[in-house]
Amino acid sequence: MNVIAQAATLPPSDTAAPAQPRWTVADVEALYQLPLMDLLFRAQQVHRENFDANEIQRSTLLSVKTGGCSEDCGYCSQSARYDTETGREALLPLDEVLAAAQAAKDKGASRFCMGAAWRGPKDKDLAKVTEMIRAVKDLGLQTCVTLGMLKDGQAEQLKSAGLDYYNHNLDTDASFYGQVITTHRHADRLDTLDQVREAGLKVCSGGIIGMGESRRNRAALIVQLANLNPPPESVPINNLVAIPGTPLAHVAPIDHFEFVRTIAAARITMPTSFVRLSAGRQAMSDEMQALCYLAGANSIFYGDKLLTTDNPEADRDETLFAKLGLRPI
Ligand code: SAM
Ligand code: DTB
Ligand code: SF4
């Protein structure tokens, strides 16, 4: 059997769950090992079976509560434990959030994602965030928030406010997690994702590549995401932005083709999910981004800022989309 046919016959490896293929780490490692051209071909096949391959979804991010976070995530500019350039700010007032959401809509974003540097929201914080969600939704934008770990009942409150998506990344493989974060566990992340699903919200969950993890760790992260039942509707794949002052400041950047392979693995294992080419685009050439789209990425963060770091200007994305014949949705 040729290598592409072999890849096409990967899972289901667990026939007990026919409704959703169960991927194994070995399955995904086998994808990573394909010759790049075969992997890209397979990813394009899957992509075209499920999406218009020339359409890209655009979400704009806003940090509504920046810095001073109690957690020790080794990549993060917002942890209070590290001496970074990011200061501590209070929760933004509603009018500032609305002005940013309107500007994002005017620029063409379809979703507005609000992030907070919290371990998890206190109930009084959540009340203010639900006001923001209602107001942003009234502008006609899809809404997403990322607020950390949720307590019982909080996901339901977000749902009642009209929230569409909750972002909560698994970030890295369970077996590597403790080397990057010690103040909460990988299992806690899964617990919040369960609560989000139970409340009827759509799930946005992905991870960070290039933190010094092994290929096996990367494959395991993809498997953990793909085997969520159902898989996340939205899967952000972040390339580490190395932040001075954090423990990961000096990690060697990941090989570009390894990153592209990760996008392709996400596309193949999560055929109907939007795979978002997320943090790290600022440092990528146009050609590298085009390869990521070819590998099946069909969503981006759009606008010149992520949470605390820079993202390509909207004009740069528009110029690249025009060159590639990509249409924003
Ligand atoms: N505090 C909440 C949490 O941890 O879920 C929400 C905000 S947190 C900044 C959201 C996500 O941003 C993280 O899970 C991580 O995937 C991503 N992120 C943070 N810093 C990053 C960096 N330097 N490079 C790439 N991704 C990063
Ligand atoms: C996600 O996966 N990436 C976004 C969003 N979800 C919240 C955040 C990226 C942050 C990059 C570093 C920063 O700007 O602070
Ligand atoms: Fe806090 Fe989230 Fe940053 Fe971790 S990733 S330090 S929880 S803001």
Side-chain angles (χ1 to χ4, degrees):
M1 204 188 310
N2 74 37
V3 76
I4 297 170
Q6 263 173 9
T9 61
L10 282 171
S13 45
D14 174 1
T15 47
Q20 188 193 337
R22 300 273 314 164
W23 292 85
T24 68
V25 177
D27 295 330
V28 176
E29 282 186 309
L31 290 176
Y32 270 95
Q33 279 154 19
L34 288 171
L36 186 67
M37 303 309 139
D38 294 339
L39 178 61
L40 291 180
F41 181 70
R42 177 87 188 106
Q44 267 291 306
Q45 278 182 317
V46 172
H47 196 175
R48 283 162 188 274
E49 280 160 17
N50 294 283
F51 290 99
D52 181 326
N54 297 307
E55 287 184 347
I56 307 279
Q57 187 274 332
R58 299 184 298 188
S59 295
T60 293
L61 264 175
L62 177 69
S63 181
V64 298
K65 162 66 187 79
T66 304
C69 184
S70 64
E71 302 304 279
D72 70 351
C73 311
Y75 45 79
C76 190
S77 63
Q78 305 196 69
S79 167
R81 296 162 193 249
Y82 312 131
D83 185 14
T84 70
E85 282 178 3
T86 300
R88 182 188 193 131
E89 289 170 27
L91 190 63
L92 292 182
L94 182 60
D95 59 344
E96 270 186 50
V97 175
L98 266 185
Q102 184 64 56
K105 188 178 180 199
D106 294 345
K107 279 273 186 194
S110 55
R111 192 177 308 159
F112 192 66
C113 308
M114 294 167 270
W118 290 322
R119 172 179 165 87
K122 300 195 175 72
D123 285 335
K124 72 169 177 19
D125 299 325
L126 202 70
K128 291 189 180 147
V129 173
T130 53
E131 261 186 75
M132 293 174 185
I133 293 166
R134 288 195 172 90
V136 170
K137 201 147 169 86
D138 281 348
L139 296 179
L141 284 158
Q142 294 172 1
T143 51
C144 178
V145 296
T146 182
L147 313 173
M149 293 183 281
L150 296 179
K151 294 194 291 276
D152 282 355
Q154 292 188 322
E156 284 74 13
Q157 287 179 55
L158 292 167
K159 175 73 183 167
S160 305
L163 183 69
D164 297 299
Y165 292 81
Y166 194 82
N167 165 256
H168 199 62
N169 291 339
L170 288 184
D171 279 321
T172 195
D173 173 25
S175 73
F176 189 68
Y177 205 80
Q179 290 188 49
V180 182
I181 300 155
T182 68
T183 46
H184 55 263
R185 293 168 310 141
H186 190 267
D188 298 324
R189 304 295 282 186
L190 289 170
D191 182 51
T192 290
L193 289 178
D194 275 350
Q195 296 190 42
V196 168
R197 266 289 173 232
E198 288 280 301
L201 292 164
K202 293 193 183 115
V203 169
C204 173
S205 187
I208 310 179
I209 305 302
M211 299 196 289
E213 76 285 345
S214 65
R215 176 180 274 187
R216 191 178 173 78
N217 291 142
R218 288 187 277 280
L221 167 69
I222 297 295
V223 165
Q224 287 151 4
L225 292 166
N227 288 346
L228 291 174
N229 192 5
E233 282 79 6
S234 175
V235 181
I237 305 291
N238 296 278
N239 197 339
L240 175 73
V241 179
I243 310 274
T246 63
L248 298 187
H250 302 294
V251 174
I254 190 149
D255 178 78
H256 274 41
F257 295 117
E258 186 69 8
F259 186 83
V260 171
R261 284 177 189 280
T262 306
I263 298 269
R267 165 52 60 226
I268 293 166
T269 56
M270 292 173 270
T272 60
S273 305
F274 279 84
V275 175
R276 184 172 307 129
L277 174 56
S278 300
R281 274 199 315 122
Q282 175 76 336
M284 291 178 195
S285 68
D286 286 358
E287 293 80 0
M288 169 60 179
Q289 293 184 58
L291 259 187
C292 291
Y293 299 136
L294 186 65
N298 61 348
S299 171
I300 56 168
F301 283 122
Y302 177 65
D304 58 8
K305 194 115 184 260
L306 291 166
L307 291 174
T308 66
T309 65
D310 290 344
N311 196 44
E313 301 280 341
D315 288 354
R316 180 178 163 201
D317 285 331
E318 273 159 25
T319 303
L320 179 58
F321 280 22
K323 281 188 193 172
L324 302 179
L326 292 174
R327 292 183 303 273
I329 54 167

